[in-house]
Amino acid sequence: MITDARALRPEFVPRDLHHRDGQIDHLSSVLAPIQFDSAENVTIFGPSGAGKTTIAKYVLSQLERESLGIRWGYVNCMADNTPAAALHTIVRDVNLGADLRRRGEPTSLALDRLRECDDQVVAVLDEVAVLDERPLVALADLPNVSVVCITIDEEEWLTQLSSRTTSRMQSAATVRLEKYDLDELIDILESRATHGLIKSRVDDEAVKRAADIAAGDARRGIALLRRAAQHVEQNDARELTIEAIESVVDDAEDDIQERRIRSLGTHQRLLYNIIAEAGEISGSELADEYEERAYDPKSTSSRRRYLESLRRYNLVEASGNGRARQYRPLT
């Protein structure tokens, strides 16, 4: 059933992107000057599963193939959410810092590597709302570096920045994405099925059902296809049917949540584990438990960003305000 598992992975970047031509053209035109000089900074906003990360990687890969003197690096700030970790990851990803360790090296060394590079560099900061603004500002201040910031909620992110940084990022080029409609998501899943599965054994109605259940979220639709294909193989079935899709809905959701949990940085994972272990916990109790268990506890503002990221990832839910706020796990 599965011929190329890569096509069923959420991080896979296909050769052709469907139903994002306008956004691709816009992002390409903004970044095109980097072939000769620095480009504008860019912000990409949109709901989960709308293709934000895929579009950024797709456009930058195209530019890298077409031009000399361009490097780009990617960091998922959910995992690398300290200034040092984010900067070191970017520098290593653009092949300027294989010797840099995540800890123990000053961030100034990572910035020096970028500053001294003869090429133009694009730094992609995914889930940037989790990150302290200092690495963003430091990267944006380098004359040969452009920054692409990706997050879900524009207003929520901008309000947590300093006024100077907010003004700077509001002047950046902006790409906004909406959820896919049903027909668009069907096309996307059909393409993934064609590239990753024996297409003759995939019922067209099953793909439509996966798109309907996913409700505009490509990540969920792809997870449904992947899990259904595994279900068919494990049960020696002949065809991927509607019944196969419907039988793996919970498993696909579990896969998404497990991937999200694995992507968490150390302090986010600790906060999540405390909430999950408690079942329900107040903000004050959570703060006390975190302070007791954390090595080098982060500041209150950092913790607030981490908790908001857990909420955006649908890993926890919260009610109430301040230290009386109650947190509950959603997994």
Side-chain angles (χ1 to χ4, degrees):
M1 170 59 67
I2 299 174
T3 59
D4 188 346
R6 294 173 300 174
L8 303 177
R9 293 171 183 156
E11 65 273 13
F12 175 73
V13 179
R15 292 183 179 178
D16 299 304
L17 293 184
H18 297 274
H19 306 294
R20 291 297 188 230
D21 291 345
Q23 292 89 347
I24 289 170
D25 289 345
H26 178 42
L27 184 56
S28 297
S29 66
V30 170
L31 293 175
I34 202 171
Q35 298 172 81
F36 315 104
D37 199 351
S38 60
E40 286 185 69
N41 297 321
V42 183
T43 54
I44 304 178
F45 303 110
S48 178
K52 302 183 296 297
T53 304
T54 302
I55 283 176
K57 290 182 174 180
Y58 177 85
V59 169
L60 285 165
S61 295
Q62 293 278 82
L63 279 173
E64 189 176 39
R65 282 195 294 269
E66 295 168 0
S67 308
L68 297 172
I70 294 175
R71 303 184 188 214
W72 66 276
Y74 171 87
V75 57
N76 181 345
C77 300
M78 288 292 290
D80 296 306
N81 49 41
T82 67
L87 289 173
H88 289 171
T89 297
I90 286 291
V91 171
R92 288 195 300 271
D93 209 39
V94 297
N95 297 316
L96 293 173
D99 58 321
L100 291 182
R101 299 186 303 275
R102 182 164 299 187
R103 292 189 179 134
E105 300 284 1
T107 57
S108 59
L109 180 57
L111 293 170
D112 286 343
R113 296 284 179 89
L114 292 168
R115 186 181 294 108
E116 293 162 4
C117 178
D118 292 331
D119 295 333
Q120 295 295 318
V121 177
V122 179
V124 181
L125 306 179
D126 204 352
E127 299 289 351
V128 69
V130 185
L131 191 65
D132 183 292
E133 71 178 60
R134 287 174 294 171
L136 165 61
V137 172
L139 289 168
D141 281 342
L142 296 176
N144 62 324
V145 175
S146 301
V147 180
V148 175
C149 295
I150 302 174
T151 192
I152 292 173
D153 191 302
E154 177 179 10
E155 183 176 354
E156 182 181 275
W157 175 52
L158 291 176
T159 55
Q160 73 184 32
L161 302 176
S162 67
S163 57
R164 177 175 177 271
T165 307
T166 298
S167 176
R168 184 170 193 167
M169 298 317 299
Q170 283 177 327
S171 66
T174 301
V175 177
R176 291 187 176 85
L177 302 177
E178 303 295 335
K179 279 185 175 291
Y180 294 102
D181 67 30
L182 180 60
D183 289 339
E184 290 172 343
L185 191 48
I186 289 171
D187 285 346
I188 290 167
L189 298 185
E190 288 277 6
S191 177
R192 295 289 181 124
T194 298
H195 287 91
L197 304 173
I198 300 173
K199 189 61 171 63
S200 61
R201 293 173 57 186
V202 179
D203 185 346
D204 289 343
E205 294 304 313
V207 175
K208 293 177 183 177
R209 181 60 178 143
D212 184 40
I213 293 171
D217 186 331
R219 183 178 287 105
R220 280 191 165 79
I222 293 164
L224 283 165
L225 274 187
R226 181 175 62 253
R227 265 295 187 169
Q230 291 172 335
H231 175 81
V232 169
E233 288 192 335
Q234 290 165 1
N235 290 277
D236 296 321
R238 174 65 191 170
E239 190 176 30
L240 197 161
T241 62
I242 290 177
E243 289 74 18
I245 293 290
E246 292 179 341
S247 70
V248 300
V249 171
D250 290 342
D251 291 335
E253 186 62 30
D254 288 345
D255 279 354
I256 292 171
Q257 297 297 68
E258 287 171 11
R259 285 173 180 266
R260 286 172 172 167
I261 292 169
R262 287 199 302 271
S263 76
L264 298 177
T266 301
H267 292 270
Q268 289 164 294
R269 186 184 294 271
L270 176 56
L271 288 165
Y272 172 76
N273 286 340
I274 293 170
I275 295 168
E277 290 165 10
E280 182 171 0
I281 190 169
S282 69
S284 59
E285 293 170 324
L286 176 57
D288 292 342
E289 185 71 12
Y290 170 81
E291 290 280 352
E292 182 177 333
R293 291 169 58 173
Y295 174 78
D296 188 22
K298 298 300 180 183
S299 66
T300 301
S301 60
S302 293
R303 276 180 263 170
R304 189 178 300 117
R305 288 197 305 273
Y306 296 162
L307 287 167
E308 282 303 301
S309 72
L310 296 178
R311 183 188 59 77
R312 284 195 303 273
Y313 257 34
N314 292 318
L315 293 174
V316 304
E317 63 179 357
S319 60
N321 297 303
R323 289 176 68 86
R325 198 172 199 191
Q326 296 289 317
Y327 292 93
R328 291 168 293 279
L330 286 175
T331 57

